Each structure stands twice: as structure tokens, then as C-alpha cells.
Amino acid sequence: MTRRTAARLVAAVYGASALVAGAALGITLWRGVTRPGVALAFGLVVAVGELARVRLPEARPGVRTTGLLSGAGALGYALCGQVGGTPAGHGVAQAVAVALVASLVGLAPHVALGQAPPPQALARLALGVGFAAVCCQPLYAGGWLGGTVEPGGLFTLSLLALALLVGCLDALLAAVTAALAAGTEPAADSAGSYARAVREELRIRLGTVPALAATAVLLALAVAVAGLWALLLCCAPLLVIQFALRRRASVRAAHRRTLASLARAPEVAGYTPYGHARRVAELSRAVGRELGLTGGELTALEYAALTHDVGQLSLADPVPGGATTALAPGRQRRIALLGGVVLRQAGARWRVASAVEAQADPYREQSVTARVVRTVNAYEDLVTGSHTTGRATGEAASERALHQLRTATGRDHEPRVVEALSRVVARAADSRARVADV
């Protein structure tokens, strides 16, 4: 599926979700709320979950946030058919309306702080809850499956299968949306690049689906037998997990800020040009995606690219232009090793520090992370004119740099990495050309 086709399908799905949300709110206002106490209890669970919303692992600030508890509460309300042995009585419209209103209440502080998730999250919530409620009704006594699926193992498995299906569909829609928002460039191989972006997003998001589905089913079954007091007992473990994820996210954010400060140190000291580390990190991440790296591999690559010049702080005199690729191999290796020492003392992960240490090694002895950082760093140095003659700029400088990298594939640069870099650079050039034409 191409990016353009995916964009059209996603727009249609979100348009349908807007109709579902509007119809659910209108019907609920018209008919009134059935069993307001039950609706309020589940609504509080959803609101608290949204209030404690956290970023998913390996996510950048502001993206891939999740409210595990809010999703479980909303889905549990859609799956709930009884409360303390008596029929719950709420229908599909009320399930969707309660989930949306409670989510908006819980997200109000995030909105005030400018940290709210995009509106697509609410649209997916409406679709997921509505789909679960519609599918769940036949499982109860009033439906056509009521005489076949009695309370017991098959009934529980049916609810769990439905919850897992809803969670997987929501994760898929979220992954497609996030990949579209990432701005994958349409080119000759854009379908493959877009598919890789979707797979990465989906892999991250699917990790939370089993916990969400199991908690939603547990909420529905526990409330059906024991009443509303079971909500507190069943929600406590997931709330603890959610706060643990928040703690983990804050630790990772602090770690990223530390590495970003280290990356700026050579620039502030005048050892490297301003913005060099950021440009190398962004281009390295794009090349890593082109090579099929995902998740933690991409994160480690970005961190290594950000901090690859930290070892230059050990030099008595700055290298002209900060271009270490012009130095003798022994001096390059010394700078790389010192950079690795600094990163280890700063608490960087082993993969990051080892990639920085191995920058000056032959590429056959390097990890993929080190190969990408070395090649992209050399490309950046060449394009900015550190080793070129004349005043070549733009595409001419890029072509000359790529040609020099290809001639050095015997020892310094892996051909596969150089070709991946070439494709990324070509797509960026095509994109700039289209913008200029417009």
C-alpha cells in the first residue's frame, strides 16, 4: 500500500469515527443516561487513566502516548453486560459517549499544558469502543448467541478475543497514522519505506495490547459478579504499570537531555560547526530506517550520531572545520576511544558508547550503528566543504561527496550503507525540488 492510498483510507476511517461520536453523543443526550452511577464509575476510571497518560518506550517527546488504564476502562464498559448480577442496560451509544466525555475530562490538564495527544486518539477510542459494544451485545442473554455462549470459559475467551481484536486494530490504525505524520517521502521505493515505518510503529504499540485487553475483560467480568467496588481492585495493577512507564519515560528523557548537552559541548567549544551533530543524527536515523533498523536500534544510532564528536574535546587545538576524517587513522582512533570513555562515564548504553569508539575501525569490524555514523559523518564533512575544492554547493557537492564515499568502500565505508545514504539524499533532493516548483 502506498502512502497516498493509506492517507485516503485513514481519512475515511476518521471521518466515520466523527459520525459515530456525534451520533453517540446525540442519542445519549436524547435518551438520557442509563444507570448513572455505573457510567460515572467507569468514567472516572477512563478520566484517571487519561490524566496519567504516558509516552510509550522509545518514543520521542509528544508522540506515541498511551493511556493504558483509560483504554481498559472504556473497553471494559463496552464489554460489560451486568453489574453485580443485574443487567447493565447501557447500549452502544452510551458506551461511546461515556468514553469520549471521560477522556475529554481527563485530557483537560494535558490540553492546558499543551501536551495533549492529537485528536485522532479520541477518534480511535470512539471507533474501538463502538465496535466492541456492537460485537459484544450478542454474547449476552438478549442476543442471538445468548443461548449458546453461557458464562464460563468460552464466554471469557470470546470477550478476550474481541478485546484483543479491538486493541490490534487500534494499534494498526495508530501506526498507520503515525507513519503518515512522520512524513515519509514518496519516491520510487516509497511503499517499502512507508511499510517499514508502519511496522516499527506497530511493533511498539502492540506491546501494550495484551495488558489492555486482559484488564478490560477482567473489569467486565469482575463488575458483573462483584459490583462496582471491583473496579478499584482490578485497576490498581494497571495503574501501577502506567506510573512505572511514566517513571521510565522521565528517566529516558533525562538521559536524552544529558546526551544532547554532551553533543552541544564540542560546538560550544568551537571544535565542530554549529548544528553538525544534529544534522548527522537526523541523517543517520533516516539511513538507519532505509537499512531496516527499528526501535532501540534506531534510538542507539541517533544517540551515537549525536555524540560522535565528544572525543574532540580532548584535543589541544580544534581540527579545522571539525572534520576528523582528514586526520591520520591513529589520531582518529584516539579521539573515538576518548569519546567512548566520556559516554560510558555519562551512563550511555553499551551500544552507543561502543559505536562511538569504533568509528575509526575498518567497517568490517564495526557494528551497523558505527558504520552508519562513520559514513554519514564523512558525508556531512564533505558536503560542508571541509575536503572539497572550489565552491561546489547543493547537488554538485552531494554528488561529489557520494562519489568519494563510493571510492572508499574498500576499507572505510560499507557499500550497502553508502547506497542507502544515496537513496535518502536523492529523496530529500526530490522533495526540495517539488517544494520549489510549487
Side-chain angles (χ1 to χ4, degrees):
M1 179 186 297
T2 64
R3 186 171 182 266
R4 181 174 299 177
T5 302
R8 291 173 179 173
L9 290 175
V10 167
V13 170
Y14 284 132
S17 70
L19 295 177
V20 170
L25 292 171
I27 292 173
T28 303
L29 287 174
W30 178 263
R31 294 180 177 176
V33 178
T34 303
R35 300 193 70 170
V38 177
L40 179 61
F42 275 96
L44 286 174
V45 172
V46 175
V48 171
E50 292 289 10
L51 188 62
R53 177 174 283 267
V54 297
R55 283 196 304 121
L56 288 171
E58 300 164 7
R60 295 187 179 188
V63 297
R64 297 192 194 128
T65 60
T66 182
L68 288 176
L69 185 58
S70 62
L75 189 55
Y77 189 53
L79 299 177
C80 182
Q82 290 185 336
V83 179
T86 60
H90 62 270
V92 176
Q94 183 170 316
V96 175
V98 168
L100 288 176
V101 172
S103 293
L104 289 172
V105 172
L107 289 174
H110 295 288
V111 174
L113 295 173
Q115 300 174 351
Q120 292 91 331
L122 287 175
R124 295 197 308 272
L125 180 68
L127 285 177
V129 171
F131 178 76
V134 169
C135 294
C136 190
Q137 300 309 311
L139 294 176
Y140 294 108
W144 60 276
L145 286 180
T148 304
V149 184
E150 297 293 339
L154 182 57
F155 179 80
T156 302
L157 289 176
S158 300
L159 290 183
L160 183 59
L162 177 59
L164 286 172
L165 176 61
V166 171
C168 290
L169 291 176
D170 177 79
L172 177 60
L173 183 57
V176 172
T177 305
L180 287 172
T184 305
E185 296 297 342
D189 60 339
S190 61
S193 299
Y194 177 69
R196 284 195 295 271
V198 171
R199 285 197 299 270
E200 179 190 351
E201 293 286 343
L202 188 59
R203 180 191 62 81
I204 294 172
R205 295 176 185 276
L206 283 178
T208 62
V209 170
L212 185 149
T215 304
V217 173
L218 181 61
L219 288 177
L221 296 178
V223 168
V225 175
L228 293 178
W229 69 269
L231 283 176
L232 181 62
L233 182 62
C234 296
C235 290
L238 196 59
L239 191 59
V240 171
I241 293 175
Q242 194 158 325
F243 278 112
L245 285 176
R246 290 191 68 182
R247 176 63 178 171
R248 183 185 181 188
S250 67
V251 170
R252 289 196 171 195
H255 180 62
R256 180 180 176 84
R257 287 194 295 270
T258 299
L259 293 183
S261 299
L262 282 174
R264 286 193 295 269
E267 298 177 0
V268 173
Y271 285 87
T272 58
Y274 179 77
H276 170 75
R278 176 183 53 80
R279 291 191 297 271
V280 172
E282 291 176 353
L283 189 53
S284 294
R285 190 175 181 92
V287 173
R289 286 182 183 274
E290 189 70 21
L291 292 171
L293 303 185
T294 59
E297 295 175 320
L298 275 179
T299 302
L301 173 59
E302 182 180 9
Y303 288 169
L306 271 175
T307 56
H308 72 279
D309 277 326
V310 169
Q312 290 202 44
L313 295 173
S314 63
L315 300 176
D317 298 311
V319 178
T324 56
T325 53
L327 300 177
R331 197 177 182 193
Q332 290 185 39
R333 185 169 290 107
R334 176 177 175 272
I335 293 172
L337 290 174
L338 289 173
V341 170
V342 172
L343 290 176
R344 292 183 192 280
Q345 292 178 346
R349 286 187 290 176
W350 175 86
R351 187 187 297 175
V352 176
S354 62
V356 172
E357 287 176 339
Q359 286 181 86
D361 297 339
Y363 78 79
R364 292 178 179 84
E365 301 174 9
Q366 293 176 325
S367 64
V368 175
T369 302
R371 295 176 186 181
V372 173
V373 173
R374 178 172 185 163
T375 299
V376 173
N377 179 51
Y379 172 81
E380 168 70 15
D381 288 344
L382 291 168
V383 168
T384 53
S386 299
H387 308 313
T388 57
T389 58
R391 300 176 58 86
T393 58
E395 293 185 10
S398 178
E399 288 298 326
R400 179 179 298 183
L402 290 172
H403 174 73
Q404 293 189 40
L405 293 177
R406 290 189 178 101
T407 60
T409 53
R411 178 188 184 276
D412 296 333
H413 304 289
E414 182 184 8
R416 185 172 64 105
V417 176
V418 175
E419 294 310 313
L421 172 62
S422 176
R423 292 193 296 271
V424 170
V425 170
R427 282 203 295 271
D430 290 343
S431 177
R432 288 193 297 269
R434 283 193 296 271
V435 172
D437 291 341
V438 173

